[in-house]
Amino acid sequence: MATTPSKNQKRPAPVLETRRQVMSAVIAAFPGGRESAAARLGLHLKKLDNHLYENAGSQPLTDAQVHQLEQQAGTAHLPDYICNLYGGVFVPMPEQGELDNLDLYARGLSTSQMRGMVDQLIAKSLDDGVICEAEVQAILAAHRQHIAARHSEVTAVIVLHSKASE
């Protein structure tokens, strides 16, 4: 019998489907919202809105502008979106200074938890013998997070224990 994830487990977020959704999510996550994001980019609020909604012949924000906002917002919506276009998974590389054996242990636990979530979603989806499209999307979103966590775990071990770190 399948179990559903507890409320303490993080539900996998689906990858955003359009660049406009990406830009809106980045702006929504930016500390201080649209006004602060506009100021960070050196734009008037109306100009930012024109770029976001491609009004008045405005082009969308550039990758560099979105990256600049995401660095401060702590999100990775744009690389997630782009990687998903190619069927891949975005995994940020760990920094040497943030790693220790306790961190490696925590990463391992997180990876195991994410794999368990994938397995739970599959089992729950198979309860009725058919996996519907919504269940496929939930399973694949959880799977992307699991694969990204595993890759991050492996690269963290390499970074922490490579000769360059000695």
Side-chain angles (χ1 to χ4, degrees):
M1 176 92 171
T3 59
T4 56
S6 73
K7 60 183 164 187
N8 292 336
Q9 288 178 315
K10 182 180 173 190
R11 278 302 248 172
V15 175
L16 300 170
E17 295 180 12
T18 67
R19 188 173 172 90
R20 184 178 287 179
Q21 288 175 339
V22 167
M23 291 188 299
S24 293
V26 171
I27 298 299
F30 195 82
R34 290 174 35 249
E35 293 83 7
S36 294
R40 178 72 173 99
L41 295 175
L43 301 172
H44 294 287
L45 184 57
K46 181 67 177 167
K47 182 76 171 165
L48 175 67
D49 287 342
N50 286 341
H51 285 294
L52 288 176
Y53 303 112
E54 299 177 42
N55 294 333
S58 295
Q59 296 293 315
L61 294 174
T62 66
D63 290 349
Q65 288 172 314
V66 176
H67 178 257
Q68 184 178 12
L69 295 176
E70 285 204 287
Q71 292 299 297
Q72 191 166 345
T75 62
H77 297 298
L78 183 61
D80 281 338
Y81 167 74
I82 292 170
C83 288
N84 190 54
L85 288 176
Y86 291 91
V89 177
F90 172 67
V91 182
M93 299 306 287
E95 297 281 330
Q96 166 63 38
E98 68 187 35
L99 297 174
D100 59 20
N101 284 325
L102 186 59
D103 181 65
L104 296 182
Y105 178 73
R107 286 173 188 260
L109 286 176
S110 178
T111 300
S112 294
Q113 179 185 17
M114 288 182 190
R115 179 179 175 164
M117 184 178 285
V118 173
D119 293 343
Q120 286 177 344
L121 288 169
I122 291 170
K124 185 173 182 353
S125 298
L126 290 174
D127 278 350
D128 63 0
V130 177
I131 300 177
C132 71
E133 184 58 32
E135 292 168 330
V136 168
Q137 294 306 314
I139 291 167
L140 291 177
H143 179 63
R144 277 191 298 273
Q145 284 192 338
H146 168 248
I147 295 301
R150 176 65 178 151
H151 186 77
S152 178
E153 178 187 2
V154 169
T155 56
V157 169
I158 292 168
V159 168
L160 183 61
H161 295 288
S162 67
K163 288 189 181 225
S165 67
E166 293 178 348

